[in-house]
Amino acid sequence: MAQMTMIQAITDAMRTELKKDENVLVFGEDVGQNGGVFRATEGLQQEFGEDRVFDTPLAESGIGGLAIGLGLTGFRPVMEIQFFGFLFEVIDSIAGQMGRMRFRTGGKLHSPVTIRSPFGGGVKTPEMHADSLEGLMAQTPGVKVVIPSTPYDAKGLLISAIRDNDPVVFLEHMKLYRSFREEVPEEEYTIEIGKADVKREGKDISIIAYGAMVHASLKAAEELEKEGISAEVIDLRTISPLDIETIIASVEKTGRAIVVQEAQKQAGIAANVVAEITERAILHLEAPVLRVAAADTVYPFAAAEDTWLPDHKDIVEKAKQVYNF
Amino acid sequence: MKLNTIETVESQFETFQILSEDGEIVNKKAMPDLSDEQLQELMRRMVYTRIWDQRAISLSRQGRLGFYAPVAGQEASMLGSQFALDKEDWILPGYRDIPQIVFHGFPLYQAFLWSRGHFQGGQFPDGLNILFPQIIIGAQIIQAAGVGLGLKKKGKKNVVITYTGDGGSSQGDFYEGINFAGAYQAQTIFVVQNNRFAISVPVEKQSAAKTIAQKAVAAGIEGIQVDGMDVLAVYAATKQARERALNGEGPTLIETLTYRFGPHTMAGDDPTRYRTKDLDNEWEKKDPLVRFRKFLEKKGLWTEEQETEVVEKAKEDIKAAIKKADSAPKQKVTDLIGIMFEELPYNLREQMEEYKAKESK
């Protein structure tokens, strides 16, 4: 076991897979010699060579096409989009192509591609860096979307994503890259995609979150505890497909729920979680399921992040509203 | 300082031709090394495709085929280039490029199923290196850069060829694809079939560039403009591009000057709205079948009898293929769910059960 930050755990997962499977290729803008703009691929080109870990021209769409073509010739591409705000340049390759490869060929061909990309607010990035666009991907049939919140989850989920024979979008929250360390096994291990994790057990209200909002929810749960409210915090870990069983089991136990996301209220996937709960557990609900989300504006100018981004206080407030309904 | 870069560039992209409209060899030096049998086979394939196009248009009108993009006029461009390939080479076709994949080994009945919109139309035979006809114009170009790099990394003595039209050369993915392939010296051949129209928009409205071949300059790769109605020139250009790629000399952009005699697709396009009869007549004189037929007849390699034989064979094959396509089972939602992922996620497992119950009623 070693103490790792999330970024170290991510690097470790790629190193593990590069070592294990010679078909794994890591590529993107500045991921080679430079080791990535966040050092996620630090040392990998030096260790595995330019044939396995390499830079690309500056064109996200081309990177997506490259991944599809390499996938067709027997490779297992791990491509990076430098910031997920640049998704719009490559959305056809992901949603229009990779996600449909198996379907279009009636199962004859597939796209075993992992798309790694940083996103998320709180670090005062320039425009189009921090936007939460996971909702767009979650609406895309044929694509799975994974968002880890801890170093341990990041490693196990990334190894699973790389081994998956269908495309997986793996979103890495920038604020979580180096915000804390955690024990991470040095050997390989996997975490099943599509499985949520109960990060804190509770009996009065379920707080369902993902990404940086998991930590805000845990902080909120501590404050709620002081006021005698026992909150259960569920980290979705995979936002498409949802782990319905874990969500519903928790809601059936607590009878109350809120869904927390950093994305705007009209975006993200909170509405989907609410709909699933309503369809499956309405008779267990003591109150409506409310959402904590950002305002439906464009992602804020850097200096306005603090007032715009949802935080633990918003979660406490919404949880109490549901608790006292 | 005098600015004359454009003229200098354009002068380097003269049209490559071997066979004149009268079927005379005008460029002996470039004449490809093809046996009499191979020359006859090329003619057979072009005649076959012309008949298939006529039948497909008529079957489409009868509602027995769905989406269909006519190919008459483009036989030399399509089949001459495919003829230069090894059977393990990859083809990433656009939506009009069905003849290339059929002569690569894609069964005709599956081409018909693809036209109708049936998932079995995408279930290629094992070992056939093709992709489904690409509907998103340009996507095949970036993917071909990836396949070309993959073949190089695997040390394969194979190339990938991909096709788009004149309109497609305006897409961002077109530039990105040729540029990536150039940066990696990928084993890729890019063919732009310039039939002068993207639906109703003439090529002059796509770009101020006088040739599409010169767009290769932006990627730093070789480009060549070919008479796309001359099957020998198309074959020779592709063959050379293939050899260059396998020698590690990088990708090539081939522009074929061609024409579609029919409409853009069978989905209600009417070319008389945007094309003059004069232009049609001018290009019909360049018909790739007519000039190659003249060439072969002069060599004593082609007779009316042989032609009739091909026509009859094509008609028979098409009849049998349509019959086979008719016997494909009706698609069920459970079939569609079943081909989404290697392992179905929760939501689809649930929906699979729902639809199974529904379908068993």
Side-chain angles (χ1 to χ4, degrees), chain A residues 60-61 64 68 79 81 84 86-100 133 136-137 140 143, chain B residues 173:
Chain A
E60 286 74 19
S61 189
I68 293 167
M79 61 174 262
I81 303 173
F84 206 50
F86 311 162
L87 165 72
F88 296 109
E89 299 287 337
V90 60
I91 206 156
D92 177 58
S93 278
I94 302 173
Q97 307 291 329
M98 291 175 200
R100 311 164 77 105
L133 302 173
L136 297 172
M137 293 290 98
T140 300
V143 173
Chain B
D173 279 352

PDB file of all heavy atoms in Angstrom, chain A residues 60-61 64 68 79 81 84 86-100 133 136-137 140 143, chain B residues 173:
ATOM      1  N   GLU A  60      -8.716  17.821 -31.325  1.00  0.00           N
ATOM      2  CA  GLU A  60      -9.444  16.811 -30.546  1.00  0.00           C
ATOM      3  C   GLU A  60     -10.190  15.827 -31.439  1.00  0.00           C
ATOM      4  O   GLU A  60     -10.242  14.633 -31.163  1.00  0.00           O
ATOM      5  CB  GLU A  60     -10.430  17.482 -29.575  1.00  0.00           C
ATOM      6  CG  GLU A  60      -9.775  18.139 -28.363  1.00  0.00           C
ATOM      7  CD  GLU A  60      -9.071  19.437 -28.698  1.00  0.00           C
ATOM      8  OE1 GLU A  60      -9.373  20.031 -29.759  1.00  0.00           O
ATOM      9  OE2 GLU A  60      -8.207  19.869 -27.909  1.00  0.00           O
ATOM     10  N   SER A  61     -10.786  16.341 -32.512  1.00  0.00           N
ATOM     11  CA  SER A  61     -11.540  15.440 -33.382  1.00  0.00           C
ATOM     12  C   SER A  61     -10.607  14.393 -33.986  1.00  0.00           C
ATOM     13  O   SER A  61     -10.928  13.199 -34.020  1.00  0.00           O
ATOM     14  CB  SER A  61     -12.225  16.247 -34.490  1.00  0.00           C
ATOM     15  OG  SER A  61     -13.106  15.431 -35.199  1.00  0.00           O
ATOM     16  N   GLY A  64      -9.869  11.683 -31.574  1.00  0.00           N
ATOM     17  CA  GLY A  64     -10.963  10.717 -31.496  1.00  0.00           C
ATOM     18  C   GLY A  64     -10.925   9.738 -32.666  1.00  0.00           C
ATOM     19  O   GLY A  64     -11.084   8.526 -32.492  1.00  0.00           O
ATOM     20  N   ILE A  68     -10.345   5.586 -32.726  1.00  0.00           N
ATOM     21  CA  ILE A  68     -11.250   4.631 -33.372  1.00  0.00           C
ATOM     22  C   ILE A  68     -10.448   3.731 -34.322  1.00  0.00           C
ATOM     23  O   ILE A  68     -10.572   2.507 -34.301  1.00  0.00           O
ATOM     24  CB  ILE A  68     -12.361   5.369 -34.150  1.00  0.00           C
ATOM     25  CG1 ILE A  68     -13.273   6.105 -33.165  1.00  0.00           C
ATOM     26  CG2 ILE A  68     -13.171   4.391 -35.004  1.00  0.00           C
ATOM     27  CD1 ILE A  68     -14.201   7.108 -33.818  1.00  0.00           C
ATOM     28  N   MET A  79      -7.123   7.626 -24.796  1.00  0.00           N
ATOM     29  CA  MET A  79      -6.886   8.972 -25.334  1.00  0.00           C
ATOM     30  C   MET A  79      -7.223  10.019 -24.290  1.00  0.00           C
ATOM     31  O   MET A  79      -8.070   9.808 -23.427  1.00  0.00           O
ATOM     32  CB  MET A  79      -7.724   9.207 -26.603  1.00  0.00           C
ATOM     33  CG  MET A  79      -9.229   9.104 -26.393  1.00  0.00           C
ATOM     34  SD  MET A  79     -10.178   9.545 -27.873  1.00  0.00           S
ATOM     35  CE  MET A  79     -10.613  11.257 -27.495  1.00  0.00           C
ATOM     36  N   ILE A  81      -8.393  14.024 -23.608  1.00  0.00           N
ATOM     37  CA  ILE A  81      -8.854  15.339 -24.057  1.00  0.00           C
ATOM     38  C   ILE A  81      -8.383  16.299 -22.965  1.00  0.00           C
ATOM     39  O   ILE A  81      -8.761  16.135 -21.799  1.00  0.00           O
ATOM     40  CB  ILE A  81     -10.391  15.399 -24.197  1.00  0.00           C
ATOM     41  CG1 ILE A  81     -10.884  14.308 -25.162  1.00  0.00           C
ATOM     42  CG2 ILE A  81     -10.836  16.768 -24.673  1.00  0.00           C
ATOM     43  CD1 ILE A  81     -12.399  14.199 -25.217  1.00  0.00           C
ATOM     44  N   PHE A  84     -12.220  18.905 -20.558  1.00  0.00           N
ATOM     45  CA  PHE A  84     -13.454  18.343 -21.123  1.00  0.00           C
ATOM     46  C   PHE A  84     -14.325  19.403 -21.812  1.00  0.00           C
ATOM     47  O   PHE A  84     -15.223  19.067 -22.561  1.00  0.00           O
ATOM     48  CB  PHE A  84     -14.244  17.591 -20.048  1.00  0.00           C
ATOM     49  CG  PHE A  84     -15.131  16.517 -20.633  1.00  0.00           C
ATOM     50  CD1 PHE A  84     -14.625  15.591 -21.530  1.00  0.00           C
ATOM     51  CD2 PHE A  84     -16.477  16.439 -20.300  1.00  0.00           C
ATOM     52  CE1 PHE A  84     -15.428  14.608 -22.089  1.00  0.00           C
ATOM     53  CE2 PHE A  84     -17.296  15.453 -20.838  1.00  0.00           C
ATOM     54  CZ  PHE A  84     -16.771  14.538 -21.734  1.00  0.00           C
ATOM     55  N   PHE A  86     -13.374  20.948 -24.143  1.00  0.00           N
ATOM     56  CA  PHE A  86     -13.030  20.807 -25.561  1.00  0.00           C
ATOM     57  C   PHE A  86     -13.751  19.611 -26.191  1.00  0.00           C
ATOM     58  O   PHE A  86     -13.488  19.241 -27.333  1.00  0.00           O
ATOM     59  CB  PHE A  86     -11.511  20.659 -25.747  1.00  0.00           C
ATOM     60  CG  PHE A  86     -10.676  21.678 -25.009  1.00  0.00           C
ATOM     61  CD1 PHE A  86      -9.324  21.464 -24.775  1.00  0.00           C
ATOM     62  CD2 PHE A  86     -11.234  22.857 -24.530  1.00  0.00           C
ATOM     63  CE1 PHE A  86      -8.555  22.397 -24.084  1.00  0.00           C
ATOM     64  CE2 PHE A  86     -10.467  23.800 -23.838  1.00  0.00           C
ATOM     65  CZ  PHE A  86      -9.130  23.566 -23.615  1.00  0.00           C
ATOM     66  N   LEU A  87     -14.636  19.010 -25.414  1.00  0.00           N
ATOM     67  CA  LEU A  87     -15.436  17.874 -25.892  1.00  0.00           C
ATOM     68  C   LEU A  87     -16.161  18.187 -27.199  1.00  0.00           C
ATOM     69  O   LEU A  87     -16.305  17.333 -28.063  1.00  0.00           O
ATOM     70  CB  LEU A  87     -16.475  17.489 -24.827  1.00  0.00           C
ATOM     71  CG  LEU A  87     -17.627  16.577 -25.287  1.00  0.00           C
ATOM     72  CD1 LEU A  87     -17.106  15.163 -25.528  1.00  0.00           C
ATOM     73  CD2 LEU A  87     -18.746  16.538 -24.262  1.00  0.00           C
ATOM     74  N   PHE A  88     -16.617  19.443 -27.301  1.00  0.00           N
ATOM     75  CA  PHE A  88     -17.457  19.777 -28.462  1.00  0.00           C
ATOM     76  C   PHE A  88     -16.735  19.531 -29.787  1.00  0.00           C
ATOM     77  O   PHE A  88     -17.365  19.304 -30.809  1.00  0.00           O
ATOM     78  CB  PHE A  88     -17.934  21.228 -28.356  1.00  0.00           C
ATOM     79  CG  PHE A  88     -18.830  21.452 -27.165  1.00  0.00           C
ATOM     80  CD1 PHE A  88     -18.399  22.183 -26.071  1.00  0.00           C
ATOM     81  CD2 PHE A  88     -20.093  20.884 -27.118  1.00  0.00           C
ATOM     82  CE1 PHE A  88     -19.215  22.362 -24.963  1.00  0.00           C
ATOM     83  CE2 PHE A  88     -20.919  21.055 -26.014  1.00  0.00           C
ATOM     84  CZ  PHE A  88     -20.479  21.802 -24.926  1.00  0.00           C
ATOM     85  N   GLU A  89     -15.405  19.594 -29.767  1.00  0.00           N
ATOM     86  CA  GLU A  89     -14.627  19.357 -30.980  1.00  0.00           C
ATOM     87  C   GLU A  89     -14.638  17.873 -31.382  1.00  0.00           C
ATOM     88  O   GLU A  89     -14.321  17.536 -32.513  1.00  0.00           O
ATOM     89  CB  GLU A  89     -13.165  19.787 -30.764  1.00  0.00           C
ATOM     90  CG  GLU A  89     -12.989  21.263 -30.445  1.00  0.00           C
ATOM     91  CD  GLU A  89     -13.220  22.144 -31.664  1.00  0.00           C
ATOM     92  OE1 GLU A  89     -13.086  21.651 -32.786  1.00  0.00           O
ATOM     93  OE2 GLU A  89     -13.551  23.325 -31.460  1.00  0.00           O
ATOM     94  N   VAL A  90     -14.918  16.999 -30.431  1.00  0.00           N
ATOM     95  CA  VAL A  90     -14.725  15.562 -30.678  1.00  0.00           C
ATOM     96  C   VAL A  90     -16.004  14.757 -30.400  1.00  0.00           C
ATOM     97  O   VAL A  90     -16.013  13.553 -30.353  1.00  0.00           O
ATOM     98  CB  VAL A  90     -13.520  15.042 -29.839  1.00  0.00           C
ATOM     99  CG1 VAL A  90     -13.734  15.240 -28.349  1.00  0.00           C
ATOM    100  CG2 VAL A  90     -13.154  13.599 -30.133  1.00  0.00           C
ATOM    101  N   ILE A  91     -17.109  15.478 -30.278  1.00  0.00           N
ATOM    102  CA  ILE A  91     -18.335  14.800 -29.856  1.00  0.00           C
ATOM    103  C   ILE A  91     -18.798  13.794 -30.924  1.00  0.00           C
ATOM    104  O   ILE A  91     -19.347  12.745 -30.591  1.00  0.00           O
ATOM    105  CB  ILE A  91     -19.416  15.845 -29.475  1.00  0.00           C
ATOM    106  CG1 ILE A  91     -20.401  15.247 -28.486  1.00  0.00           C
ATOM    107  CG2 ILE A  91     -20.124  16.419 -30.685  1.00  0.00           C
ATOM    108  CD1 ILE A  91     -21.104  16.278 -27.629  1.00  0.00           C
ATOM    109  N   ASP A  92     -18.539  14.055 -32.193  1.00  0.00           N
ATOM    110  CA  ASP A  92     -18.955  13.053 -33.193  1.00  0.00           C
ATOM    111  C   ASP A  92     -18.177  11.746 -33.030  1.00  0.00           C
ATOM    112  O   ASP A  92     -18.766  10.667 -33.077  1.00  0.00           O
ATOM    113  CB  ASP A  92     -18.791  13.555 -34.634  1.00  0.00           C
ATOM    114  CG  ASP A  92     -19.164  12.448 -35.627  1.00  0.00           C
ATOM    115  OD1 ASP A  92     -20.315  11.965 -35.547  1.00  0.00           O
ATOM    116  OD2 ASP A  92     -18.318  12.021 -36.414  1.00  0.00           O
ATOM    117  N   SER A  93     -16.870  11.868 -32.813  1.00  0.00           N
ATOM    118  CA  SER A  93     -16.080  10.634 -32.658  1.00  0.00           C
ATOM    119  C   SER A  93     -16.583   9.799 -31.484  1.00  0.00           C
ATOM    120  O   SER A  93     -16.604   8.578 -31.563  1.00  0.00           O
ATOM    121  CB  SER A  93     -14.599  10.961 -32.451  1.00  0.00           C
ATOM    122  OG  SER A  93     -13.980  11.194 -33.689  1.00  0.00           O
ATOM    123  N   ILE A  94     -16.978  10.450 -30.408  1.00  0.00           N
ATOM    124  CA  ILE A  94     -17.404   9.694 -29.222  1.00  0.00           C
ATOM    125  C   ILE A  94     -18.860   9.248 -29.366  1.00  0.00           C
ATOM    126  O   ILE A  94     -19.169   8.059 -29.351  1.00  0.00           O
ATOM    127  CB  ILE A  94     -17.213  10.521 -27.934  1.00  0.00           C
ATOM    128  CG1 ILE A  94     -15.743  10.941 -27.782  1.00  0.00           C
ATOM    129  CG2 ILE A  94     -17.670   9.718 -26.712  1.00  0.00           C
ATOM    130  CD1 ILE A  94     -15.488  11.906 -26.641  1.00  0.00           C
ATOM    131  N   ALA A  95     -19.759  10.239 -29.525  1.00  0.00           N
ATOM    132  CA  ALA A  95     -21.190   9.914 -29.535  1.00  0.00           C
ATOM    133  C   ALA A  95     -21.646   9.382 -30.885  1.00  0.00           C
ATOM    134  O   ALA A  95     -22.503   8.499 -30.958  1.00  0.00           O
ATOM    135  CB  ALA A  95     -21.999  11.152 -29.148  1.00  0.00           C
ATOM    136  N   GLY A  96     -21.089   9.934 -31.964  1.00  0.00           N
ATOM    137  CA  GLY A  96     -21.539   9.548 -33.301  1.00  0.00           C
ATOM    138  C   GLY A  96     -20.850   8.304 -33.840  1.00  0.00           C
ATOM    139  O   GLY A  96     -21.339   7.691 -34.785  1.00  0.00           O
ATOM    140  N   GLN A  97     -19.710   7.955 -33.276  1.00  0.00           N
ATOM    141  CA  GLN A  97     -18.932   6.862 -33.864  1.00  0.00           C
ATOM    142  C   GLN A  97     -18.630   5.726 -32.868  1.00  0.00           C
ATOM    143  O   GLN A  97     -19.157   4.642 -33.000  1.00  0.00           O
ATOM    144  CB  GLN A  97     -17.625   7.409 -34.452  1.00  0.00           C
ATOM    145  CG  GLN A  97     -17.830   8.582 -35.428  1.00  0.00           C
ATOM    146  CD  GLN A  97     -18.490   8.193 -36.742  1.00  0.00           C
ATOM    147  OE1 GLN A  97     -18.312   7.086 -37.212  1.00  0.00           O
ATOM    148  NE2 GLN A  97     -19.261   9.093 -37.331  1.00  0.00           N
ATOM    149  N   MET A  98     -17.773   6.011 -31.871  1.00  0.00           N
ATOM    150  CA  MET A  98     -17.368   4.927 -30.944  1.00  0.00           C
ATOM    151  C   MET A  98     -18.569   4.265 -30.279  1.00  0.00           C
ATOM    152  O   MET A  98     -18.643   3.051 -30.191  1.00  0.00           O
ATOM    153  CB  MET A  98     -16.516   5.492 -29.798  1.00  0.00           C
ATOM    154  CG  MET A  98     -15.177   5.980 -30.182  1.00  0.00           C
ATOM    155  SD  MET A  98     -14.450   6.716 -28.691  1.00  0.00           S
ATOM    156  CE  MET A  98     -13.211   7.733 -29.468  1.00  0.00           C
ATOM    157  N   GLY A  99     -19.468   5.098 -29.797  1.00  0.00           N
ATOM    158  CA  GLY A  99     -20.621   4.592 -29.051  1.00  0.00           C
ATOM    159  C   GLY A  99     -21.527   3.717 -29.901  1.00  0.00           C
ATOM    160  O   GLY A  99     -22.373   2.996 -29.385  1.00  0.00           O
ATOM    161  N   ARG A 100     -21.357   3.802 -31.215  1.00  0.00           N
ATOM    162  CA  ARG A 100     -22.239   3.054 -32.110  1.00  0.00           C
ATOM    163  C   ARG A 100     -21.517   1.951 -32.858  1.00  0.00           C
ATOM    164  O   ARG A 100     -22.135   1.247 -33.660  1.00  0.00           O
ATOM    165  CB  ARG A 100     -22.849   4.008 -33.141  1.00  0.00           C
ATOM    166  CG  ARG A 100     -23.445   5.247 -32.525  1.00  0.00           C
ATOM    167  CD  ARG A 100     -23.682   6.317 -33.574  1.00  0.00           C
ATOM    168  NE  ARG A 100     -24.838   6.017 -34.351  1.00  0.00           N
ATOM    169  CZ  ARG A 100     -26.011   6.645 -34.230  1.00  0.00           C
ATOM    170  NH1 ARG A 100     -26.155   7.614 -33.372  1.00  0.00           N
ATOM    171  NH2 ARG A 100     -27.029   6.301 -34.977  1.00  0.00           N
ATOM    172  N   LEU A 133     -19.784  18.562 -18.268  1.00  0.00           N
ATOM    173  CA  LEU A 133     -20.537  18.183 -19.477  1.00  0.00           C
ATOM    174  C   LEU A 133     -20.881  16.695 -19.481  1.00  0.00           C
ATOM    175  O   LEU A 133     -21.248  16.135 -20.513  1.00  0.00           O
ATOM    176  CB  LEU A 133     -19.720  18.540 -20.732  1.00  0.00           C
ATOM    177  CG  LEU A 133     -19.343  20.018 -20.858  1.00  0.00           C
ATOM    178  CD1 LEU A 133     -18.400  20.246 -22.031  1.00  0.00           C
ATOM    179  CD2 LEU A 133     -20.594  20.880 -21.021  1.00  0.00           C
ATOM    180  N   LEU A 136     -24.113  15.341 -21.133  1.00  0.00           N
ATOM    181  CA  LEU A 136     -24.179  15.075 -22.581  1.00  0.00           C
ATOM    182  C   LEU A 136     -23.775  13.637 -22.881  1.00  0.00           C
ATOM    183  O   LEU A 136     -24.377  12.957 -23.704  1.00  0.00           O
ATOM    184  CB  LEU A 136     -23.233  16.022 -23.336  1.00  0.00           C
ATOM    185  CG  LEU A 136     -23.538  17.515 -23.257  1.00  0.00           C
ATOM    186  CD1 LEU A 136     -22.409  18.313 -23.884  1.00  0.00           C
ATOM    187  CD2 LEU A 136     -24.848  17.810 -23.970  1.00  0.00           C
ATOM    188  N   MET A 137     -22.723  13.194 -22.217  1.00  0.00           N
ATOM    189  CA  MET A 137     -22.221  11.837 -22.451  1.00  0.00           C
ATOM    190  C   MET A 137     -23.164  10.792 -21.863  1.00  0.00           C
ATOM    191  O   MET A 137     -23.325   9.705 -22.413  1.00  0.00           O
ATOM    192  CB  MET A 137     -20.833  11.681 -21.839  1.00  0.00           C
ATOM    193  CG  MET A 137     -19.770  12.511 -22.516  1.00  0.00           C
ATOM    194  SD  MET A 137     -19.375  11.902 -24.174  1.00  0.00           S
ATOM    195  CE  MET A 137     -20.335  12.970 -25.204  1.00  0.00           C
ATOM    196  N   THR A 140     -25.771   9.493 -24.092  1.00  0.00           N
ATOM    197  CA  THR A 140     -25.275   8.872 -25.310  1.00  0.00           C
ATOM    198  C   THR A 140     -25.309   7.355 -25.208  1.00  0.00           C
ATOM    199  O   THR A 140     -24.512   6.772 -24.482  1.00  0.00           O
ATOM    200  CB  THR A 140     -23.814   9.327 -25.555  1.00  0.00           C
ATOM    201  OG1 THR A 140     -23.804  10.738 -25.680  1.00  0.00           O
ATOM    202  CG2 THR A 140     -23.252   8.708 -26.814  1.00  0.00           C
ATOM    203  N   VAL A 143     -22.084   4.476 -24.636  1.00  0.00           N
ATOM    204  CA  VAL A 143     -20.923   5.030 -23.935  1.00  0.00           C
ATOM    205  C   VAL A 143     -21.186   4.964 -22.430  1.00  0.00           C
ATOM    206  O   VAL A 143     -22.280   5.295 -21.979  1.00  0.00           O
ATOM    207  CB  VAL A 143     -20.706   6.508 -24.349  1.00  0.00           C
ATOM    208  CG1 VAL A 143     -19.614   7.159 -23.521  1.00  0.00           C
ATOM    209  CG2 VAL A 143     -20.390   6.601 -25.835  1.00  0.00           C
TER     210      VAL A 143
ATOM    211  N   ASP B 173     -12.748  17.573 -40.300  1.00  0.00           N
ATOM    212  CA  ASP B 173     -12.192  16.222 -40.153  1.00  0.00           C
ATOM    213  C   ASP B 173     -11.360  15.808 -41.366  1.00  0.00           C
ATOM    214  O   ASP B 173     -10.449  14.993 -41.246  1.00  0.00           O
ATOM    215  CB  ASP B 173     -13.317  15.194 -39.917  1.00  0.00           C
ATOM    216  CG  ASP B 173     -13.775  15.174 -38.458  1.00  0.00           C
ATOM    217  OD1 ASP B 173     -13.121  15.843 -37.632  1.00  0.00           O
ATOM    218  OD2 ASP B 173     -14.765  14.494 -38.159  1.00  0.00           O
TER     219      ASP B 173
END
